[in-house]
Amino acid sequence: MRVNFTVNGRPQQADDVWEGESLLYVLRERLGLPGSKNACEQGECGSCTVRLDGVPVCSCLVAAGQAEGREIVTVEGLAEHARQRAGGEDACGTSLDEARRWSPRGPGSQSDEGSTSPRATLAPLQQAFIDAGAVQCGFCTPGLLVAADEMLERNPNPTDADIREALSGNLCRCTGYEKIMDAVRLAAARQGEEA
Amino acid sequence: MPTNGAPTRITQGSHTRGGIGESTLRPDGTLKVTGEFAYASDMWHEDMLWGQILRSTVAHAEIVSIDTSEALATPGVYAVLTYDDLPTEVRHYGLEIQDTPVLAHGRVRHHGEPVAVVAADHPETARRAAARIRVEYRDLPVITDEASATAPAAVLLHENRTDPHAAHVRHPNIVHRQPIIRGDVERARRRADVIVEGEYVFGMQDQAFLGPESGLAVPAEDGGVDLYIATQWLHADLRQIAPVLGLPEDKIRMTLSGVGGAFGGREDLSMQIHACLLALRTGKPVKMVYNRFESFFGHVHRHPAKLYYEHGATHDGKLTHVKARIVLDGGAYASSSPAVVGNAASLGVGPYVIDDVDIEAVALYTNNPPCGAMRGFGAVQACFAYEAQMDKLAARLGMDPVEFRRLNAMSQGSLLPTGQVVDSPAPVAELLRRVKAMPLPPEQQWLVAGEEADVRQLPGGLSNTTHGEGVVRGIGYAVGIKNVGFSEGFDDYSTARVRLEAAGGEPVATVHTAMAEVGQGGVTVHAQIARTELGVAQVTILPADTRVGSAGSTSASRQTYVTGGAVRNACELVREQILERGRRRFGAHHPAWATAELLLEGGKVVTDGGEVLADLVDVLGDEAVEIEQEWRHRPTEPFDLRTGQGFGHVQYSFAAHRAVVEVDTELGLVKVIELACAQDVGKALNPLSVTGQIQGGTTQGLGVAVMEEIIVDPRTAKVRNPSFTDYLIPTILDTPTIPVDVLELADDHAPYGLRGVGEAPTLSSTPAVLAAIRNATGLELNRTPVRPEHLTGG
C-alpha cells in the first residue's frame, strides 16, 4: 500500500508498504530517518517515541497505515520544532535571532563537529543533554528527547516527580537517569531564562 | 558512498583546551542528540537482504531432521543455510574454548540455539520463511543444576573435551574449578567466638543493552567481506570469524558501528558469522537486527549462582576465617566462564583482611542459557554473599555494620587470599566512612511537597497502593572489590596510532584505535589525552576498525587504563620525534633546544620555564609524524590450580554504597529512596563521565536487587520472560537519587594514576539495597532479586 503523511513538516510518501509494517519501520527503513530507535519493538522502552499529531507515541506500536494523513515529529525534526515553537516563524524563513548568530561556517563553526553535522543548531533540550552528560550510548536519547520536549511544552516548570513520571516510559540502561534529570532541569531553567 | 551509516571521523574543536581532568563533552554527543549517529541497526545498503536466525524451541534435544525446502521456496528468499552448508571444517567458535556451534549440528543444548539462517528481501519474509523450516527434535533429559550436572550418569554437555580445564575438573560437566587455599581454616575456626553460615542465591541477570545485536555484511570484489558491527572487541571477533569463513583475516574488514550499550553482552559473537555467511553465499549485502525477544537468546547472561559461606570472628570483631563454595551456572557453552570462576574465587572474601581462607569456585555446563560476561564479572555474585555475611556477623557481635567492616578493611600493603600484595591505595575504610557521613534523605519525603502524600515517592508508586501506611524505612551498607583489566596471565595489550600534522595552519592530532566505544566515553578520554600530551587543541578520533592493531576488549573496566595508556604512549613517542625534528631544524637558533626540558603546549614547543621555542606547525612543516605502537600494563600470572596463589590481577577498584529504602511491608513493595556511592577512581580523567559510570553501574546493581531476573523453567530449561514486558529493568521512577563522592588516590602503576571505574559500583549496590531491606523488615533474605512474596511470606 501507499502511505502519505507529514514528517517534520515535510509531506512524505512511502510506497510498497506491507500492511504489517510499523510506523517505526517505515520511518527507519523506507524514509531514511533512523533516528527513532528499535530497542524493544513492543512498546516497553520508549526509544522509538515520536509525536503523532502532537502526542508522544511508541512508533513501533503504530501501524504505518494509521499514520495516513497525520503529522509526525521525530528526533530529526526536534530542533526545527523547538525553533518554531519559540519563534513561531515560518519554517522556511530566517529569524532575526538566527540571522544575528549566522556565521560563514555555520553555528558551532569553531568546532569541526559542524562538518559531520550539517543540521547545525540544536534545540535547547538537545544541548542540555550534551552539557549535562545525559548521553552515554545514546540509544535511548532520541526517544527521551521527544518525550521530555513534549513534557516541557506542557509543563515548563516541572518538579522532579513530574519529570520522572513523564519519562517513566523511556528506559535507559547506561546513565542511572541522574544526568537525564539534570539535563531536563537544565533545559527547563534555560527555557525559563529566555522567556 | 553505497553504505549508509558508515561511521565518519569525529573531530572535536579548538574552542576547548580540554585535557585530562576536565569534563569535556562527548565528541559524538551532537550526532547522538540529533538522531544522526549511525548505530549498527541503522546501517543500510542498496539492494541489501535481511538475515534471520531460526532458533531451537527446546533446550536439549537431538536434531532428527531439518527440512528447508518450504522456506527456500518462499518468494523473496535468497538463501537458507544449516550446519551442512558451512564452508570449512571449523564450525565452532568461542572466546576461550571453541565449543559453540555456528549452527546446531545434530543436537541443541539450550533454548534458543541457532539452527538455521535465512536471507530474504524483507525482514518479515525472512521471519516467515524461517518459521517454515521443519526441524524434528528428539528430547534429551535436561541438566539444570549442580546435582543433575554432576550425577554419575549425567548426560555430558560436551564429550571428549580437550580444553585446558578438562584435566583438572572432577566431572566433564564442570567447566572450570578454582580453589583458593591460604592459611589453615580448621585451626582458625577454633579461634572464632562467633561463626555464621549462609546459603545465597543470585538470579540470572541480563545486560539489557538497548541497541539490539545488529550488523551489516557487505561482500567484496576480492572475495572478502566488509562487516559493520556493534561489538566490544573487533579483533577477538575477527579471530573467531575468519577460520569459520575460511578467509584470511585481512579479507574481513571490520568497522565498529554505533554500539547501543554492551555491559559484557557483546563479548561473545552473535550474528557476525551468520551475516557474513549469508552475504558470501548470496553475493548481496545482508543486514541482521535482533528484536528484543531474540536478543534475550542472542547473548550470554550474568551467571546465576549458589553461594555457601562460613565466616568466623572473635568477640572484638576481627575476622578469623572464611570458608566458601561458589557454584556458577555457565549454561550450555563455556563463553568466559573460566575467567568468571577465577574472579569469583580470588575476590570471594571481599576487601577484607583474612589470613585463613578456603574457597572453591566452579562453573557448570548445563542446558540453561549460556552465561558469560556482565559488568562485575564474578565479583558481583560473591559481593552479594560476603556482604550479607558481614552484616550477619556484625549483628551477632552486636557491632555497627560499618564499624565492623572498617575494623577488617584491607588497606595498601594487605595480602589478598591469593597471596598478592595490594600495592596501591585501598581506601576501603575511608570509602565506608565517607558514604556513611553523607546526609540522609528526609524521613517521609513523600510529604515534603505538600499535605497530600505524593504516591510517586512511595512504594507502589502510581499504582496508589499506600499513602504511607505500613511503610518502613531501612538503611544498608556494602563495599566491594573488583579487578581491573584481564587477569591470570592474559596478554592484555592495546594498540594506538597517533598522527600529528599541520592542517590549515594548525597542528592537528589524529588518534586511531580499535577500541569499541560502547557508550562509556573512551573517545572523549582519548581526545583529552592527546590534547594533554601533544598540547594541541584539535584532535580527530578515527572510527575504530581492524586496519589498526587490537585494542583489547571494552570490558573489565580496562579501556581508559589500557587503550588510554596506549594513546598516551604513542603520543609520547610522537612528541619525542617532534622534539628531535625541532632540534635538527631549529637547534642552532636557540641553546634551550639542547639544554632545557621541552614540552608541547598550546600548539607550541616551550621550555619547562615557559619560553616559546617554536610553533608546532613550523616544526612539522609538510611532514606528518605518525606512530603505531602496542602498549602493555604490567604482567600477571595464572592462579595455582591447587592453591589459587599467584599475582593474578593488574589493579583493584573499590566502591562503597549506602542504600536507603522504604518498604511497604504489607504488600512487599520496595522503593529505593537513595543510593549513595563513594568510589576511589585514582584519577578522574573526565569527572562528568566518571560520575555517569558510577551512577549507571549503581543502577544495574539496583535492578538485580529488586526486579531483574531471567526466569528459566527448572523442568524444561526454557526461558519464560524474554521481553521488556516480563524482564524488568529500572525505569526513571524506580531509580533514586545517586549522590556520588569521588576519591582520587593515585595508583602509581597506572597511566595518570587512574583506576578502572565502570564495574565496582555494580558490585556493592545490590548488597547495600538488600541490607537496607533486611534492616527495614528484619527478614533474612538470602536471594536476589527480592520479590514481593519474599517480603510478605506469601
Side-chain angles (χ1 to χ4, degrees), chain B residues 199-271:
Chain B
E199 281 189 33
Y200 302 91
V201 175
F202 199 102
M204 186 187 292
Q205 188 179 17
D206 188 66
Q207 296 83 354
F209 44 75
L210 288 191
E213 291 89 340
S214 338
L216 174 72
V218 184
E221 281 181 7
D222 66 352
V225 62
D226 295 297
L227 180 61
Y228 299 86
I229 188 72
T231 180
Q232 289 178 236
W233 186 357
L234 287 166
H235 288 79
D237 286 8
L238 180 61
R239 174 171 51 77
Q240 296 170 83
I241 296 168
V244 175
L245 300 182
L247 290 171
E249 289 189 359
D250 61 6
K251 284 210 171 177
I252 304 166
R253 290 156 295 259
M254 296 180 61
T255 306
L256 188 77
S257 291
V259 186
F263 317 116
R266 297 187 208 268
E267 281 193 26
D268 298 77
L269 294 178
S270 57
M271 42 54 66

Side-chain angles (χ1 to χ4, degrees), chain A residues 34-86:
Chain A
S36 309
K37 290 291 171 264
N38 56 325
C40 81
E41 297 179 87
Q42 54 186 175
E44 296 287 357
C45 76
S47 69
C48 64
T49 304
V50 302
R51 292 179 70 172
L52 185 62
D53 288 346
V55 180
V57 296
C58 285
S59 60
C60 71
L61 294 185
V62 176
Q66 286 177 283
E68 175 70 32
R70 302 173 76 174
E71 290 211 19
I72 292 143
V73 176
T74 71
V75 69
E76 288 96 341
L78 202 64
E80 185 57 36
H81 181 76
R83 250 193 309 279
Q84 286 192 40
R85 181 173 55 212

Side-chain angles (χ1 to χ4, degrees), chain B residues 66-80:
Chain B
I66 304 177
D67 179 0
T68 61
S69 54
E70 205 184 325
L72 266 171
T74 305
V77 169
Y78 283 71
V80 180

Side-chain angles (χ1 to χ4, degrees), chain B residues 71-280:
Chain B
L72 266 171
T74 305
V77 169
Y78 283 71
V80 180
L81 307 181
T82 66
Y83 177 88
D84 293 333
D85 298 300
L86 296 176
T88 74
E89 291 307 308
V90 180
R91 296 176 177 192
H92 293 75
Y93 67 88
L95 282 171
E96 187 179 334
I97 301 171
Q98 286 70 52
D99 63 357
T100 311
V102 174
L103 292 166
H105 176 48
R107 180 179 173 191
V108 294
R109 294 179 179 82
H110 69 91
H111 181 204
E113 181 160 350
V115 175
V117 284
V118 177
D121 58 7
H122 189 284
E124 187 61 23
T125 308
R127 271 192 285 275
R128 291 180 178 198
R132 290 190 181 118
I133 299 170
R134 306 267 170 252
V135 184
E136 192 186 335
Y137 295 108
R138 185 182 298 134
D139 283 345
L140 292 166
V142 292
I143 287 168
T144 57
D145 56 14
E146 185 174 22
S148 57
T150 59
V155 177
L156 301 186
L157 265 292
H158 301 275
E159 284 158 15
N160 309 317
R161 283 175 57 185
T162 57
D163 62 82
H165 308 295
H168 65 256
V169 292
R170 67 183 169 81
H171 192 289
N173 282 341
I174 296 175
V175 185
H176 176 44
R177 170 180 183 269
Q178 180 64 63
I180 308 281
I181 313 281
R182 188 160 187 84
D184 184 343
V185 162
E186 295 309 320
R187 202 173 59 197
R189 183 186 275 129
R190 291 198 286 275
R191 287 194 291 117
D193 298 310
V194 178
I195 290 178
V196 297
E197 292 175 78
E199 281 189 33
Y200 302 91
V201 175
F202 199 102
M204 186 187 292
Q205 188 179 17
D206 188 66
Q207 296 83 354
F209 44 75
L210 288 191
E213 291 89 340
S214 338
L216 174 72
V218 184
E221 281 181 7
D222 66 352
V225 62
D226 295 297
L227 180 61
Y228 299 86
I229 188 72
T231 180
Q232 289 178 236
W233 186 357
L234 287 166
H235 288 79
D237 286 8
L238 180 61
R239 174 171 51 77
Q240 296 170 83
I241 296 168
V244 175
L245 300 182
L247 290 171
E249 289 189 359
D250 61 6
K251 284 210 171 177
I252 304 166
R253 290 156 295 259
M254 296 180 61
T255 306
L256 188 77
S257 291
V259 186
F263 317 116
R266 297 187 208 268
E267 281 193 26
D268 298 77
L269 294 178
S270 57
M271 42 54 66
Q272 284 89 329
I273 297 176
H274 300 133
C276 290
L277 287 170
L278 289 170
L280 292 169

Side-chain angles (χ1 to χ4, degrees), chain A residues 18 21 25 28-29 37 39 42 44 113 126 135-138 162 164-165 171 173-174 176-178, chain B residues 26-27 32-33 39 41-42 122 128 206-207 210 287 292 456 696 699-700 708 725 730 732 735 738:
Chain A
W18 171 64
E21 281 177 19
Y25 182 89
R28 287 175 55 79
E29 304 295 339
K37 290 291 171 264
Q42 54 186 175
E44 296 287 357
E113 263 195 331
Q126 290 170 314
V135 179
Q136 287 189 29
C137 93
D162 292 341
R164 290 187 192 276
E165 184 179 343
L171 296 177
R173 190 57 160 169
C174 294
Y177 302 104
E178 282 286 82
Chain B
R26 299 187 66 96
K32 284 181 172 177
V33 299
Y39 295 88
S41 54
D42 300 336
H122 189 284
R128 291 180 178 198
D206 188 66
Q207 296 83 354
L210 288 191
K287 173 173 173 173
R292 184 52 50 180
R456 296 175 297 191
T699 304
Q700 291 183 357
E708 293 184 33
T725 310
I732 198 167
T735 307
I738 307 171

